[in-house]
Amino acid sequence: MKNIHKIIIAFIGVLAVSCNADAVDERPILDTVSAPEITAPATGQTYILDVDKAGEEAAKFTWSAAEYSTDVAVKYTLLIDKKGGDFTAAKTLAVTSSVTEASVLVKDLNQAAIDLGGQVEVASMYDVKISSSVSGAFPQVSKGLITISVTPYAGKVVYDFADWYLVGDATVSGWDNNKGNQILFRSGTNANEYTFTGYFKKGAFKAIKNLGSWAPMYGGSGGSLAYRGVESDPDPANIEITADGYYRFTMDVEKLTYKLTPYDASAAVTYSTIGIVGSVIDENWSETIPMVKSSFNAHVWSLGVTSLKDGEMKFKANNSWDVSWGGKTPFSGISTGDNTPVAKSKYVIYFNDLDGSYLMIPNQ
C-alpha cells in the first residue's frame, strides 16, 4: 500500500501544473509521529575537560530516530542548556542530517559550557536535549533529557583583530597565497596599523587577509592603498620594490595609506637563537621554548601552535638575559622592555628582532 501511495504522489507531482485549487488542497500533509530521544551517554556523566585535548572527542551522543508520517530527510540538532533552563538560550553542540549520532569535541563542549555561564575549573550541571525538523518545519523536541556535569578550562580568548599577510615575488612566498606567507605585525595601540621591517627582493607585493584567497586584498601606488573586497572586484595595483634590500612597510587600513622606506640593517645583530620564556611556561622563568628563524629573513622568527598559561613572557636571544624583548600590550606591539601579558590559550607566535615587533594569535 505504501508503494501505491508513493506512485500516486509522484503522478500528482507530474500533473501539478494542470491541477486546480481543489486538487492542491488534497495533497498529503506531513505529520509528526514521535520525537527523538537521547540514548547515550547516560544521565549523570561527568566531563572534566583538558585544554591539551581540545581537538579530541569529549563525548559521543546517540539518539533514537524521529518518526514522521512518511519517509523524509530529518535534521537533528543537539542542544545544551544550564540545568533547569528552558532551552530558549540553549547552545548547539551538533547538527546532523538523517544521522542519529554525533561526536562532540572537547573544545566545543568547553565553549558551550562557558557561554552558558560556567566558571572555569568549576563543575557545573547542564541539560542536553535532541530536536528534529524537516526542511526547517515540523519540529519535534525530546520529552526527556540527560543531565551532565562539565568542568571547563579557560575558554576562547577574545581576539577581535584582522591579520594580513604579504604575497608577491618580492616576498618569501612569491605569488603563492598559501605558502608560508610573511605576516604583517599589528600595532599594539592602533588596530588599523600594520608594519613589516625586513628583507624584500626586487619585485612587487600585495597584502591578503585570508591565506589561500585573493580577497580581501590591499594593493596600491603612490602611498595610497586600494582595497579589493571580493575576487570579482578589480585587482589593485602591485606595490613595487625597485631593488633587493631591507625596507619598512607600514599600512593604515582606516586611512587607506601606506609608507615604504629603505631600512638600514647594516648594524643589526644576527642572533643564533631566540625563544620565549616566562610564567606562561613555568613559574620560575627557567624554561625557554625556541622559535624558528626564517630562511628568507634572518631577523624574523615564528613558533607554531603552543599552549601557554595565564601570565607574562618575553623573547630572549641566545639563551641569555643579555638581550630580551617584551611589550605592554597583549597579542601585538613593539618591545618596550616590559613583560608581555598573556591569557591562557594556544598561540601561533611571530617576532621580528629588527624592531621588536611581536604578534600572538590565540585559539589555535
Side-chain angles (χ1 to χ4, degrees):
M1 182 64 72
K2 181 184 285 188
N3 289 335
I4 293 174
H5 286 167
K6 288 183 177 178
I7 293 171
I8 293 172
I9 292 170
F11 182 67
I12 292 173
V14 172
L15 298 179
V17 294
S18 61
C19 287
N20 58 30
D22 291 336
V24 171
D25 291 339
E26 294 171 2
R27 289 178 298 180
I29 297 174
L30 182 66
D31 291 321
T32 58
V33 177
S34 65
E37 298 293 339
I38 295 176
T39 55
T43 193
Q45 290 292 309
T46 296
Y47 299 94
I48 301 174
L49 305 180
D50 184 348
V51 65
D52 293 325
K53 298 180 179 179
E56 298 181 12
E57 179 184 277
K60 185 174 184 178
F61 292 83
T62 62
W63 53 87
S64 60
E67 293 187 31
Y68 290 85
S69 57
T70 189
D71 292 336
V72 288
V74 180
K75 175 183 175 181
Y76 295 101
T77 304
L78 186 65
L79 299 167
I80 185 170
D81 198 0
K82 59 186 178 181
K83 181 175 174 56
D86 60 7
F87 280 80
T88 56
K91 302 300 178 182
T92 298
L93 289 177
V95 176
T96 71
S97 180
S98 297
V99 176
T100 57
E101 63 179 32
S103 292
V104 177
L105 299 181
V106 168
K107 64 180 181 180
D108 295 327
L109 182 57
N110 188 81
Q111 194 60 44
I114 289 176
D115 289 345
L116 289 168
Q119 296 183 28
V120 174
E121 311 297 345
V122 176
S124 299
M125 305 302 290
Y126 300 88
D127 293 333
V128 182
K129 281 187 176 184
I130 186 70
S131 69
S132 67
S133 63
V134 177
S135 299
F138 307 100
Q140 298 192 89
V141 181
S142 58
K143 295 180 180 179
L145 54 78
I146 65 168
T147 300
I148 61 176
S149 171
V150 180
T151 303
Y153 55 83
K156 186 176 182 180
V157 174
V158 176
Y159 184 76
D160 294 329
F161 302 103
D163 293 305
W164 292 87
Y165 301 82
L166 298 177
V167 64
D169 56 3
T171 72
V172 61
S173 59
W175 286 107
D176 191 322
N177 64 6
N178 194 11
K179 188 181 179 182
N181 300 65
Q182 174 61 55
I183 200 166
L184 288 166
F185 292 88
R186 187 182 57 253
S187 167
T189 56
N190 180 0
N192 296 307
E193 185 177 286
Y194 298 81
T195 187
F196 175 68
T197 302
Y199 180 74
F200 289 82
K201 294 192 298 184
K202 180 180 178 180
F205 69 91
K206 297 177 181 179
I208 55 174
K209 183 178 181 182
N210 303 314
L211 293 176
S213 177
W214 292 107
M217 168 190 284
Y218 284 107
S221 62
S224 296
L225 284 179
Y227 179 67
R228 183 190 196 192
V230 296
E231 293 194 18
S232 59
D233 289 343
D235 195 14
N238 297 336
I239 299 173
E240 302 291 333
I241 298 291
T242 57
D244 292 358
Y246 282 83
Y247 296 84
R248 185 192 299 275
F249 170 69
T250 301
M251 70 177 192
D252 189 311
V253 299
E254 180 180 44
K255 297 178 180 178
L256 291 179
T257 59
Y258 75 87
K259 293 180 180 179
L260 180 65
T261 55
Y263 181 85
D264 184 3
S266 60
V269 177
T270 300
Y271 299 101
S272 58
T273 64
I274 286 180
I276 65 169
V277 62
S279 59
V280 295
I281 305 169
D282 70 290
E283 292 300 325
N284 296 322
W285 289 63
S286 58
E287 181 182 348
T288 300
I289 300 177
M291 303 186 75
V292 177
K293 182 192 292 190
S294 168
S295 59
F296 185 84
N297 263 292
H299 301 282
V300 174
W301 306 77
S302 62
L303 185 59
V305 179
T306 303
S307 293
L308 300 178
K309 300 184 292 185
D310 287 321
E312 298 177 323
M313 61 164 278
K314 280 189 171 182
F315 300 90
K316 186 168 70 171
N318 298 337
N319 293 312
S320 168
W321 283 112
D322 292 343
V323 181
S324 65
W325 302 263
K328 294 181 179 180
T329 51
F331 305 127
S332 66
I334 297 288
S335 177
T336 56
D338 297 277
N339 296 340
T340 304
V342 177
K344 181 179 180 180
S345 185
K346 290 186 176 182
Y347 291 84
V348 171
I349 305 171
Y350 303 90
F351 179 68
N352 187 338
D353 67 53
L354 283 179
D355 58 9
S357 296
Y358 61 91
L359 179 65
M360 304 176 64
I361 304 175
N363 308 313
Q364 302 301 313

